[in-house]
Amino acid sequence: MKNDLIRKLEALAESYKAPSGDEYRGISLKVVEAVSAEAGASRRDVEIAALEAGIIPLRYQRNIGSIGIEGQLKLRKARVAVIGAGGLGGTLIELLSRMGIGELLVIDSDSFSEDNLNRQILCTEQDIGRSKVEAARRRIVSINSAVDMDARQVVVSGDNVDALIKGCDLVIDALDTIPVRLLVQEAARRLRIPLIHGAIAGFLGEVMTIFPGDRGLEALFGGGGNAPEKGIEVQVGTPTVTPMAIAALQAMEAIKVLLGMMGPIRHRLLYLDLEQDVLSGVRIANADTK
Amino acid sequence: MRVILQTVSDLEHHFGTREVEIRFEGRCVSDLLAYLKERYDFTLATQERGMLFVNGRGCVDFSLSLNDGDHVAIVPVLAAG
């Protein structure tokens, strides 16, 4: 099957010139669609076969200079969970789809309300009252139909979190309460899955990458019993720009982890103050790992 | 006692700097907080408003002893997504 796909792709690939002036072999979206339909393979599998043969789907050409064909291939094979499809989650879904993550598991129990319009990129006036995960599905399909999407409209709890994220290569926290974040961190630790934490309030945001065994959010809040439900966002709100900025940092952390790149924001909580143009980190002790 | 105090954002404005060496009379976190109240009119009123770390570990027990040179960080709690 894969050899057939590659033969078809070799025959249909054309020569293109990159901005650097280098030539490369590429395939257009139309070729991916046609080969997928003819071979009965998913568009994702067609793109994977192409990349394995050194043929670049044009949609990823501007990624290749930074992550290479091997990197793009790794992203195409990855399954990533985004928990929460609101401010952070909506932008994350947009970015990860464009980056070419292979499969996105999107979890959110909620529907859109009017006060989501200021910041939640998946929310339009027509979406008020509609499911967030269904909006995510429509957006992913419209951006990148070669991304497999698994949408779950459920409340994350201790009873279902393990089953939800099992099999993922990475989990991204786009939640809005601290106790559920702690639940997700515990599950990710049990299942040995890295977790990218993000949270916002006002013009402030924070990011931390937590590998299995890291104390992560426990260093901030303890085991969960004393953790507050909410933070200062109840006073300062969640203005438009903050989730976009923090989701971009989280998406970059996801790329770093999936590709094994240097320098994830680990053992420190990175704060971004958009109003004051300040980036600062608070060290998180990692000595007593679990 | 001498500790290094680190803050961010509006707390940074409160103290006038992101990192400052604090010298105070006392041995534990509650003594430090009493000094910060007296010197800077700062109160860690509720956990929702601020978290306190000592050498990178979250601290909710303010009877925790401090040592010379310890790093104490106070940061706001953010939870929205």
Side-chain angles (χ1 to χ4, degrees):
Chain A
M1 172 78 165
K2 187 165 272 184
N3 288 340
D4 284 349
L5 269 182
I6 291 174
R7 269 196 295 277
K8 284 186 173 68
L9 291 164
E10 295 274 11
L12 294 168
E14 293 183 40
S15 184
Y16 293 87
K17 192 167 273 190
S20 64
D22 294 340
E23 289 203 350
Y24 68 96
R25 288 188 309 147
I27 48 169
S28 67
L29 190 54
K30 283 200 162 99
V31 169
V32 173
E33 289 171 6
V35 172
S36 165
E38 188 185 331
S42 72
R43 294 178 186 185
R44 179 186 178 196
D45 285 342
V46 171
E47 289 189 351
I48 287 172
L51 289 162
E52 285 177 342
I55 298 167
I56 300 170
L58 297 185
R59 66 159 65 245
Y60 306 122
Q61 195 278 328
R62 301 301 171 96
N63 289 349
I64 300 302
S66 294
I67 64 171
I69 290 178
E70 280 302 311
Q72 190 65 61
L73 192 52
K74 283 183 186 170
L75 297 186
R76 290 274 55 213
K77 291 181 175 178
R79 174 177 164 89
V80 173
V82 178
I83 309 185
L88 291 175
T91 300
L92 278 160
I93 289 160
E94 174 96 12
L95 297 175
L96 297 176
S97 301
R98 292 188 187 280
M99 199 68 203
I101 297 297
E103 184 175 359
L104 287 174
L105 165 64
V106 180
I107 305 167
D108 199 309
S109 65
D110 210 358
S111 298
F112 289 116
S113 56
E114 283 191 40
D115 60 9
N116 296 156
L117 279 166
N118 78 319
R119 69 194 183 284
Q120 299 195 14
I121 201 168
L122 297 175
C123 181
T124 67
E125 292 180 7
Q126 290 70 43
D127 291 313
I128 304 304
R130 292 184 180 167
S131 149
K132 292 187 178 183
V133 293
E134 283 310 313
R137 185 196 300 280
R138 287 194 300 275
R139 187 66 183 157
I140 289 170
V141 168
S142 69
I143 292 170
N144 189 344
S145 58
V147 171
D148 294 336
M149 199 250 185
D150 186 356
R152 308 287 182 93
Q153 189 167 2
V154 294
V155 176
V156 174
S157 70
D159 293 334
N160 64 10
V161 62
D162 286 58
L164 284 167
I165 66 172
K166 190 176 180 183
C168 290
D169 299 300
L170 180 69
V171 175
I172 307 184
D173 158 18
L175 288 153
D176 61 1
T177 65
I178 292 165
V180 181
R181 285 186 162 98
L182 289 163
L183 269 181
V184 170
Q185 178 179 307
E186 284 174 24
R189 175 183 290 150
R190 278 193 296 275
L191 297 168
R192 312 296 299 165
I193 304 171
L195 171 70
I196 314 287
H197 162 69
I200 57 168
F203 293 115
L204 277 175
E206 67 186 33
V207 177
M208 175 165 54
T209 293
I210 304 163
F211 283 85
D214 293 356
R215 296 181 72 234
L217 299 172
E218 276 183 16
L220 278 62
F221 302 109
N226 296 319
E229 178 95 0
K230 298 285 185 184
I232 59 169
E233 68 276 4
V234 296
Q235 279 91 32
V236 296
T238 44
T240 307
V241 296
T242 315
M244 313 274 176
I246 296 303
L249 290 174
Q250 287 183 281
M252 187 63 222
E253 288 300 293
I255 293 164
K256 287 183 200 172
V257 171
L258 292 169
L259 302 188
M261 293 164 77
M262 299 286 281
I265 304 166
R266 186 179 183 190
H267 302 315
R268 62 199 166 100
L269 189 64
L270 186 80
Y271 271 89
L272 178 62
D273 184 337
L274 294 164
E275 186 181 5
Q276 300 298 325
D277 195 22
V278 170
L279 200 61
S280 51
V282 175
R283 189 176 65 85
I284 304 293
N286 69 335
D288 56 344
T289 55
K290 286 198 171 180
Chain B
M1 179 73 70
R2 176 185 61 83
V3 299
I4 306 298
L5 178 69
Q6 184 188 3
T7 61
V8 301
S9 184
D10 59 329
L11 298 177
E12 180 181 334
H13 296 304
H14 195 99
F15 291 105
T17 180
R18 190 184 306 180
E19 191 168 295
V20 61
E21 183 177 288
I22 301 281
R23 290 175 182 273
F24 66 101
E25 295 294 324
R27 298 184 308 107
C28 61
V29 171
S30 60
D31 296 330
L32 170 65
L33 290 173
Y35 174 81
L36 296 179
K37 169 70 179 161
E38 180 186 329
R39 171 71 176 78
Y40 294 96
D41 194 26
F42 172 80
T43 305
L44 193 69
T46 67
Q47 239 195 329
E48 282 78 8
R49 289 293 298 171
M51 291 184 294
L52 192 143
F53 295 83
V54 177
N55 298 325
R57 294 165 199 274
C59 173
V60 290
D61 176 7
F62 296 160
S63 68
L64 180 73
S65 293
L66 293 169
N67 295 304
D68 265 340
D70 278 351
H71 278 73
V72 177
I74 299 175
V75 300
V77 176
L78 318 180

